[in-house]
Amino acid sequence: MDTQTYLEDLSNEIFFEIFDYLHALDIFTAFASLNKRISSILQSIPLHVIVSIIHCRNQIDFLSSHLIFHAHQVISIRMSDTIRDDTSMISLLFNRHNFINLQFFMLVTVDRSTKLDNFIKQIKTCDKLVSFKISNPDDETMNESDKCELVRTMFMHKSSFLRSIVLQYTYDYSNILNNISLTSNVTLLYLCIDDSPSNISIHSILSILRLCHRVRYIGILVKENDLVDNNNTLVPITIPSINEN
């Protein structure tokens, strides 16, 4: 005699495994309001938010409507600030929601119109943060005050779990190096430096990094502004660990 297995017959453990392969928008689209049991399971799973350039505004609004009740479950966010039909998604999500348990964050591109004030304030309070990355090749879309505040925030972050900081936008670190130091738990650091006569040298950066005894992996990208030899050439420099012991 043939037996049929229905979705409702699956154990909670199998649902946990299924949801671990899906990001938040997919989960809410397929399973939200399905039944009381599924709704109960959705209240207890970690969530991964992905916002990419292929998404549209009505999808993000749908996601946001569910995050009203689930933002505390979000442990990772990987997003583009620009989607198919709108911009400033980072402002939209961080103005609407408080991601108190965020552990992993990655932002690709920052739109010129985006205000980062609330985003930076919230990142400061993420005491479970493990990894933080911003990749913004077009530096002109970020203002200098936001760049400075992000550097200060991440270098002096209070999360004891923070291990990785990647800031892929050029910045004149000479403005702040005398006033800050790197949190001692960071093991991976990636910076992009504007290499011009008025800016700080790589050796000065390293003198600060030597204060951090746990750093094992360092990446430095130098944006060379020597108009005689190269015009805006990106020169990658690989640097070995500064502390092997």
Side-chain angles (χ1 to χ4, degrees):
M1 180 177 177
D2 294 335
T3 59
Q4 293 180 328
T5 300
Y6 297 94
L7 183 66
E8 291 81 0
D9 297 326
L10 299 178
S11 67
N12 287 359
E13 289 74 18
I14 292 179
F15 277 113
F16 289 142
E17 288 291 330
I18 293 173
F19 293 151
D20 198 42
Y21 286 93
L22 302 175
H23 60 82
L25 180 58
D26 286 343
I27 291 174
F28 294 137
T29 300
F31 296 96
S33 303
L34 192 61
N35 57 49
K36 289 184 178 180
R37 179 186 170 214
I38 298 298
S39 296
S40 176
I41 294 175
L42 293 184
Q43 292 287 342
S44 59
I45 61 172
L47 293 174
H48 307 273
V49 171
I50 296 178
V51 176
S52 73
I53 196 169
I54 66 172
H55 289 126
C56 56
R57 178 58 186 265
N58 65 348
Q59 290 177 299
I60 305 307
D61 286 336
F62 173 80
L63 170 65
S64 180
S65 69
H66 287 280
L67 289 178
I68 293 173
F69 309 102
H70 297 274
H72 65 285
Q73 296 169 237
V74 174
I75 64 169
S76 74
I77 297 176
R78 186 169 80 243
M79 65 183 302
S80 169
D81 193 36
T82 300
I83 57 175
R84 188 165 56 188
D85 56 354
D86 208 347
T87 59
S88 300
M89 292 300 100
I90 187 70
S91 296
L92 184 149
L93 288 183
F94 278 81
N95 288 347
R96 291 183 180 180
H97 310 290
N98 188 16
F99 302 103
I100 59 175
N101 291 310
L102 186 63
Q103 299 177 26
F104 304 93
F105 178 82
M106 177 179 177
L107 173 63
V108 180
T109 71
V110 178
D111 187 78
R112 190 181 305 275
S113 63
T114 299
K115 306 296 183 183
L116 295 178
D117 307 57
N118 288 337
F119 163 69
I120 295 174
K121 288 179 182 178
Q122 194 172 145
I123 288 296
K124 288 180 180 179
T125 65
C126 292
D127 57 6
K128 297 180 178 64
L129 194 63
V130 175
S131 175
F132 181 90
K133 177 178 181 179
I134 287 187
S135 178
N136 191 60
D138 186 359
D139 285 318
E140 294 183 0
T141 63
M142 289 181 67
N143 62 59
E144 290 301 310
S145 62
D146 284 341
K147 290 181 180 182
C148 177
E149 192 59 30
L150 273 171
V151 171
R152 288 183 179 275
T153 296
M154 297 316 303
F155 270 54
M156 304 178 71
H157 204 282
K158 301 303 182 183
S159 172
S160 60
F161 302 99
L162 186 60
R163 297 294 181 270
S164 174
I165 300 174
V166 177
L167 303 177
Q168 288 183 296
Y169 57 80
T170 57
Y171 181 68
D172 178 4
Y173 287 87
S174 62
N175 293 329
I176 61 173
L177 280 180
N178 293 329
N179 302 316
I180 64 174
S181 60
L182 190 62
T183 180
S184 62
N185 294 315
V186 173
T187 59
L188 184 150
L189 181 67
Y190 187 100
L191 303 175
C192 187
I193 304 172
D194 193 357
D195 185 27
S196 65
S198 63
N199 291 339
I200 198 161
S201 69
I202 296 176
H203 298 291
S204 298
I205 291 285
L206 290 178
S207 67
I208 297 297
L209 298 181
R210 292 183 188 280
L211 300 176
C212 182
H213 300 292
R214 296 188 180 182
V215 171
R216 289 293 180 269
Y217 307 98
I218 303 173
I220 293 182
L221 187 65
V222 179
K223 185 176 182 182
E224 189 175 9
N225 289 324
D226 188 345
L227 299 180
V228 176
D229 298 325
N230 295 289
N231 186 14
N232 286 333
T233 301
L234 291 179
V235 182
I237 297 180
T238 302
I239 300 177
S241 170
I242 58 175
N243 287 295
E244 294 296 338
N245 298 321

XYZ file of all heavy atoms in Angstrom, residues 7-21 37-38 41 44-46:
182
model
N 3.778 17.960 3.253
C 4.675 18.948 3.846
C 4.516 18.998 5.357
O 5.494 19.090 6.100
C 4.395 20.333 3.242
C 5.310 21.471 3.704
C 6.736 21.238 3.218
C 4.790 22.814 3.188
N 3.281 18.886 5.819
C 3.014 18.964 7.250
C 3.577 17.769 8.022
O 3.697 17.810 9.251
C 1.504 19.064 7.505
C 0.878 20.374 7.057
C 0.592 20.408 5.565
O 0.889 19.406 4.877
O 0.094 21.440 5.085
N 3.917 16.693 7.302
C 4.442 15.500 7.962
C 5.925 15.625 8.307
O 6.448 14.832 9.098
C 4.249 14.263 7.071
C 2.777 13.956 6.825
O 1.972 14.200 7.745
O 2.453 13.496 5.720
N 6.612 16.589 7.713
C 8.043 16.743 7.959
C 8.289 17.218 9.388
O 7.513 17.998 9.944
C 8.646 17.748 6.969
C 8.539 17.385 5.482
C 9.140 18.496 4.627
C 9.227 16.056 5.194
N 9.379 16.757 9.954
C 9.716 17.154 11.322
C 10.222 18.592 11.347
O 10.643 19.147 10.322
C 10.794 16.227 11.887
O 12.016 16.414 11.191
N 10.214 19.184 12.526
C 10.735 20.543 12.676
C 12.201 20.620 12.276
O 12.652 21.610 11.693
C 10.575 21.009 14.120
C 9.132 21.329 14.461
O 8.245 21.219 13.614
N 8.891 21.718 15.703
N 12.959 19.569 12.586
C 14.381 19.553 12.264
C 14.619 19.649 10.756
O 15.561 20.310 10.302
C 15.037 18.285 12.820
C 15.171 18.246 14.333
C 13.848 17.986 15.039
O 12.904 17.495 14.371
O 13.761 18.277 16.249
N 13.771 18.994 9.967
C 13.911 19.064 8.509
C 13.579 20.467 8.012
O 14.249 21.004 7.118
C 13.015 18.009 7.828
C 13.543 16.606 8.140
C 12.973 18.235 6.317
C 12.731 15.489 7.534
N 12.566 21.088 8.601
C 12.255 22.468 8.228
C 13.424 23.398 8.546
O 13.749 24.296 7.766
C 10.995 22.947 8.949
C 9.719 22.540 8.266
C 8.855 21.635 8.861
C 9.384 23.062 7.021
C 7.677 21.256 8.234
C 8.210 22.691 6.384
C 7.351 21.783 6.994
N 14.069 23.189 9.689
C 15.235 24.000 10.037
C 16.331 23.852 8.979
O 16.985 24.830 8.600
C 15.781 23.597 11.409
C 14.901 24.008 12.555
C 14.734 23.167 13.648
C 14.239 25.220 12.542
C 13.921 23.534 14.708
C 13.428 25.601 13.597
C 13.262 24.759 14.678
N 16.538 22.618 8.504
C 17.541 22.375 7.469
C 17.159 23.076 6.163
O 18.001 23.677 5.491
C 17.684 20.866 7.224
C 18.374 20.110 8.336
C 19.846 20.446 8.432
O 20.456 20.769 7.389
O 20.388 20.400 9.548
N 15.896 23.002 5.790
C 15.428 23.646 4.557
C 15.631 25.157 4.634
O 16.171 25.784 3.710
C 13.941 23.322 4.309
C 13.764 21.832 3.998
C 13.384 24.174 3.163
C 12.313 21.385 3.915
N 15.223 25.749 5.742
C 15.302 27.201 5.881
C 16.745 27.695 5.924
O 17.020 28.844 5.591
C 14.556 27.648 7.137
C 13.062 27.426 7.067
C 12.327 27.190 8.216
C 12.410 27.457 5.846
C 10.958 26.991 8.148
C 11.037 27.258 5.768
C 10.314 27.021 6.920
N 17.659 26.823 6.317
C 19.064 27.217 6.382
C 19.643 27.468 4.991
O 20.653 28.155 4.851
C 19.870 26.136 7.100
C 21.212 26.645 7.586
O 21.258 27.775 8.111
O 22.220 25.928 7.430
N 19.011 26.918 3.953
C 19.473 27.101 2.575
C 18.803 28.285 1.883
O 19.146 28.604 0.744
C 19.209 25.831 1.760
C 20.153 24.690 2.069
C 19.818 23.730 3.018
C 21.381 24.585 1.418
C 20.680 22.681 3.309
C 22.254 23.545 1.703
C 21.898 22.596 2.649
O 22.760 21.564 2.942
N 1.818 26.159 12.625
C 3.046 25.438 12.953
C 4.252 26.056 12.244
O 5.294 26.299 12.853
C 2.912 23.967 12.554
C 4.174 23.162 12.859
C 4.076 21.755 12.330
N 5.354 21.073 12.418
C 5.775 20.182 11.541
N 5.021 19.876 10.490
N 6.947 19.600 11.689
N 4.115 26.327 10.939
C 5.211 26.939 10.187
C 5.504 28.338 10.724
O 6.668 28.733 10.872
C 4.878 27.003 8.686
C 4.683 25.594 8.130
C 5.979 27.727 7.928
C 5.908 24.718 8.220
N 7.629 28.010 13.716
C 9.014 27.678 13.373
C 9.750 28.920 12.880
O 10.915 29.155 13.225
C 9.058 26.563 12.312
C 8.515 25.260 12.893
C 10.482 26.358 11.797
C 8.402 24.133 11.881
N 11.693 31.161 15.243
C 12.858 30.686 15.996
C 14.082 30.376 15.138
O 15.052 29.810 15.633
C 12.470 29.423 16.782
O 12.028 28.399 15.906
N 14.061 30.743 13.858
C 15.195 30.429 12.986
C 16.052 31.673 12.750
O 15.550 32.795 12.751
C 14.720 29.874 11.624
C 13.861 30.922 10.895
C 13.973 28.571 11.800
C 13.513 30.541 9.474
N 17.361 31.495 12.552
C 18.196 32.636 12.148
C 17.885 33.013 10.706
O 17.597 32.144 9.875
C 19.622 32.099 12.288
C 19.485 30.620 12.135
C 18.151 30.261 12.720
